[in-house]
Amino acid sequence: MPFYQPNQTKPPTKEDLNEKSKQIEQSVSAAETLKGDNNFLNYIIRKEQVLFCGIYSQIFACHNHQEPDSTLICRMFQVNAGIDPVNDLYLKILRFIGRKCPNIIGTFDIFYDQTRRIYLFQELANRGNCLEYLKAGTFVEPTQAIRWAYSIWNAMDFLGNCGVSHRSIRPKHIMLKTNPLSGTLIAKLGSFRDAIIYWNRETESVVNVKKFPWCEIKFANFQAPESFTKIEDTNDAKETFDPIMADVWSFGATFFYIISRQYPFDLYKSNDIATIEQEIKNRINTTTALNDDAKRWFVDLLNVDPNKRTKFDDIIQDTWFRSQIN
């Protein structure tokens, strides 16, 4: 059980979460490039090998002499990205995770220079992200998708034990790479730009998150239906949601999309929660890519009521799910 629940017998305890969330919050986001006690000079950034170029950042191939067996990238965030190299939570979480979890894209180092430009060194996902993989026309067998789902569940398990909720689980953030030993594709969780610390040390309880405007539900952002409110002025709205249960819905929606190539409900006809609930059930039950046991698993995962949704620990206890990963 990675996420805290009252009266649970397994970790994490309140004490565990207090300590880990404190470590993250009180850490520094990045190290200075000019300090002599760091690893920055061991990295060779191959600026002629541009893997991505955007408004706020670029990604380059790179190499580290001390990591000869690792294929790396350097993501260089420009100053206009607005990332604070000392206090940014996104970078703090990445540094804390580092390479501790094999199911999460590994972060080797994070630095910033005198101009406050950020250098993020991570492992390369040589097959890109899952959304790109699907857009290339590749069909993913349900068994393969569920094995990937198990990897992402383990990533979420690790995060939950650290007091972190990902908050942006979607196909674009499922990274694929080739296993060097077997040649099979493995999935890892990436992109922590929206991640939060779900634990409040002062109240020793899960932090509830303010809901988004209902108009944002019109986008395929894989957020749980309860994440949205129809109250027009969200600055005054007091409606909140549980980020842990919302991540469970996003997990289910992501893998339903990977298998069926469908979003769980019609984004342009989503007038209310009742409409969404019926649409989810219809789409799951009419897809030909799933058998009856798989459909039941997805219906429970994508329940619009978070109190009736499958609990995180129960996801992998399902008989059908276990039959797919064994």
Side-chain angles (χ1 to χ4, degrees):
M1 170 64 69
F3 295 105
Y4 177 80
Q5 287 184 352
N7 304 316
Q8 68 184 26
T9 58
K10 299 178 183 179
T13 62
K14 291 181 179 181
E15 293 73 21
D16 291 334
L17 290 170
N18 285 338
E19 179 59 30
K20 289 178 180 177
S21 60
K22 181 180 179 180
Q23 287 178 22
I24 296 173
E25 290 170 354
Q26 296 185 352
S27 65
V28 176
S29 298
E32 296 179 54
T33 58
L34 294 180
K35 285 197 172 181
D37 58 349
N38 62 43
N39 192 33
F40 183 73
L41 295 179
N42 290 320
Y43 289 99
I44 299 174
I45 303 172
R46 305 189 185 283
K47 292 189 177 180
E48 74 282 2
Q49 296 183 32
V50 181
L51 306 179
F52 168 81
C53 186
I55 299 174
Y56 303 110
S57 69
Q58 298 81 41
I59 298 177
F60 305 97
C62 75
H63 179 73
N64 187 319
H65 293 301
Q66 295 184 339
E67 303 283 349
D69 298 325
S70 300
T71 306
L72 307 178
I73 62 164
C74 172
R75 183 160 199 162
M76 191 181 298
F77 288 101
Q78 302 300 332
V79 177
N80 63 355
I83 299 177
D84 185 340
V86 177
N87 295 308
D88 189 87
L89 181 61
Y90 159 59
L91 299 183
K92 288 182 178 185
I93 289 173
L94 286 182
R95 288 192 80 193
F96 183 82
I97 295 168
R99 289 183 279 171
K100 297 172 187 173
C101 179
N103 305 110
I104 294 174
I105 289 294
T107 297
F108 286 65
D109 278 302
I110 308 174
F111 299 99
Y112 71 97
D113 62 19
Q114 289 178 305
T115 68
R116 297 177 75 85
R117 184 165 50 187
I118 308 291
Y119 301 81
L120 171 59
F121 296 99
Q122 293 184 302
E123 70 172 298
L124 170 69
N126 65 336
R127 298 300 296 272
N129 67 59
C130 203
L131 185 60
E132 294 170 343
Y133 189 73
L134 294 174
K135 284 184 175 180
T138 312
F139 174 75
V140 179
E141 292 281 353
T143 300
Q144 170 77 300
I146 296 305
R147 287 173 181 163
W148 291 349
Y150 185 51
S151 295
I152 301 308
W153 184 93
N154 278 293
M156 295 168 68
D157 180 76
F158 173 85
L159 293 175
N161 201 44
C162 298
V164 173
S165 173
H166 188 275
R167 294 300 308 122
S168 191
I169 296 170
R170 60 186 69 180
K172 185 178 179 179
H173 298 156
I174 308 300
M175 311 305 294
L176 303 176
K177 67 180 297 182
T178 306
N179 185 317
L181 298 177
S182 65
T184 59
L185 277 185
I186 57 177
K188 297 193 175 195
L189 187 59
S191 185
F192 284 75
R193 290 302 299 270
D194 298 314
I196 63 169
I197 296 174
Y198 75 77
W199 185 250
N200 185 321
R201 296 203 312 276
E202 293 183 2
T203 61
E204 294 193 327
S205 62
V206 173
V207 175
N208 277 0
V209 179
K210 188 169 70 173
K211 295 190 176 188
F212 308 117
W214 184 263
C215 61
E216 293 185 21
I217 206 170
K218 301 299 182 184
F219 302 94
N221 55 12
F222 292 84
Q223 294 294 309
E226 75 270 13
S227 305
F228 301 92
T229 177
K230 286 193 172 182
I231 297 176
E232 292 186 8
D233 189 352
T234 55
N235 290 323
D236 294 334
K238 296 182 180 179
E239 292 184 81
T240 60
F241 65 93
D242 182 333
I244 297 170
M245 293 311 298
D247 271 6
V248 169
W249 193 93
S250 298
F251 169 88
T254 292
F255 285 98
F256 179 72
Y257 183 88
I258 290 171
I259 292 172
S260 71
R261 303 294 183 94
Q262 295 183 89
Y263 200 73
F265 59 89
D266 190 329
L267 291 158
Y268 302 102
K269 296 180 181 178
S270 52
N271 298 318
D272 51 43
I273 294 297
T275 303
I276 292 172
E277 179 178 28
Q278 189 58 50
E279 181 70 17
I280 289 172
K281 290 179 179 178
N282 287 342
R283 291 200 173 190
I284 292 174
N285 289 322
T286 56
T287 182
T288 59
L290 300 169
N291 63 28
D292 289 344
D293 290 334
K295 290 176 181 178
R296 174 187 47 76
W297 186 75
F298 276 108
V299 166
D300 291 342
L301 265 181
L302 296 175
N303 196 309
V304 296
D305 184 346
N307 295 314
K308 298 177 181 178
R309 190 174 300 150
T310 303
K311 297 294 186 289
F312 180 80
D313 241 22
D314 294 334
I315 291 173
I316 63 168
Q317 300 305 322
D318 181 82
T319 303
W320 171 78
F321 183 90
R322 300 199 69 81
S323 72
Q324 302 300 297
I325 62 174
N326 290 332

